[in-house]
């Protein structure tokens, strides 16, 4: 059972942003026979940007990333690339990706992805509300010319 690209992009994004919350699911994720194809390793990647999102690309700088690749006993392969230096999280995210590619995808979506997504949505709303509370609106007043 192969996931469509949009579904996989969604859960990969959720897993990449999950942080230490993936540790809450470690027992369930590791309850399968698997091997490390590429053990979690830390490296650097170049980050590129564009002014206004449309200008010419420029090198913004480098950031630390952690990647991992695992293969379950049934042949499903899971990948993860995460910002930062968390090897444990990279392995758990790769395991989750592998599990989500199987016939029990719906169970994993309900058990793992949807709760993490709800937490991330709430955190994003809180940050937006905090930012909105500091918003300043400027009003220009026009003097009458008599």
């Amino acid at each position: 059972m192969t996931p469509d690209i949009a579904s996989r992009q969604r859960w990969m994004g959720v897993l990449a942003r999950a942080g230490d919350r993936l540790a809450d699911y470690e027992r369930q994720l590791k309850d399968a026979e698997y091997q490390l194809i590429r053990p979690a390793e830390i490296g650097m990647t170049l980050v590129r940007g564009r002014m206004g999102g449309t200008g010419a690309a420029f090198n913004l700088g480098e950031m630390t990333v952690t990647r991992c690749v695992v293969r379950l006993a049934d042949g499903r392969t899971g990948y993860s690339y995460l910002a930062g230096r968390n090897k444990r999280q990279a392995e758990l995210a790769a395991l989750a990706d592998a599990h989500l590619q199987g016939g029990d995808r719906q169970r994993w979506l309900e058990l793992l992805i949807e709760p993490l997504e709800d937490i991330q949505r709430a955190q994003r709303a809180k940050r937006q509300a905090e930012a909105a509370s500091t918003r300043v609106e400027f009003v220009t007043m026009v003097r009458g010319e008599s």
Side-chain angles (χ1 to χ4, degrees):
M1 178 175 224
T2 326
D4 63 87
I5 293 171
S7 295
R8 191 161 185 211
Q9 286 176 335
R10 176 183 152 231
W11 78 57
M12 294 293 278
V14 170
L15 293 169
R17 292 185 299 272
D20 293 333
R21 295 195 187 278
L22 270 179
D24 298 342
Y25 301 93
E26 185 169 9
R27 187 181 53 75
Q28 295 100 316
L29 290 169
K30 288 189 171 184
D31 188 25
E33 188 178 326
Y34 71 96
Q35 71 181 90
L36 294 169
I37 302 299
R38 182 179 298 269
E41 56 189 356
I42 298 168
M44 301 289 284
T45 189
L46 180 64
V47 178
R48 296 182 51 97
R50 293 181 183 275
M51 293 303 290
T54 59
F58 64 94
N59 295 340
L60 182 63
E62 291 182 332
M63 69 179 277
T64 306
V65 294
T66 306
R67 69 178 178 180
C68 184
V69 181
V70 300
R71 182 173 297 133
L72 297 179
D74 64 6
R76 289 178 284 166
T77 304
Y79 300 83
S80 70
Y81 283 83
L82 311 173
R85 307 174 57 89
N86 192 329
K87 290 182 176 183
R88 179 179 176 204
Q89 179 187 352
E91 184 176 334
L92 293 174
L95 278 166
D97 178 46
H99 286 299
L100 282 155
Q101 294 178 59
D104 55 350
R105 176 181 312 144
Q106 191 58 42
R107 181 178 81 81
W108 283 104
L109 286 171
E110 292 170 4
L111 172 75
L112 179 68
I113 300 302
E114 291 170 5
L116 290 173
E117 200 169 38
D118 290 343
I119 291 167
Q120 292 170 10
R121 192 177 300 114
Q123 288 172 335
R124 190 169 34 257
K126 182 180 176 191
R127 281 193 309 271
Q128 288 172 345
E130 288 172 355
S133 71
T134 65
R135 183 178 174 151
V136 177
E137 294 189 29
F138 295 92
V139 177
T140 304
M141 299 183 72
V142 179
R143 284 192 315 182
E145 305 263 337
S146 324

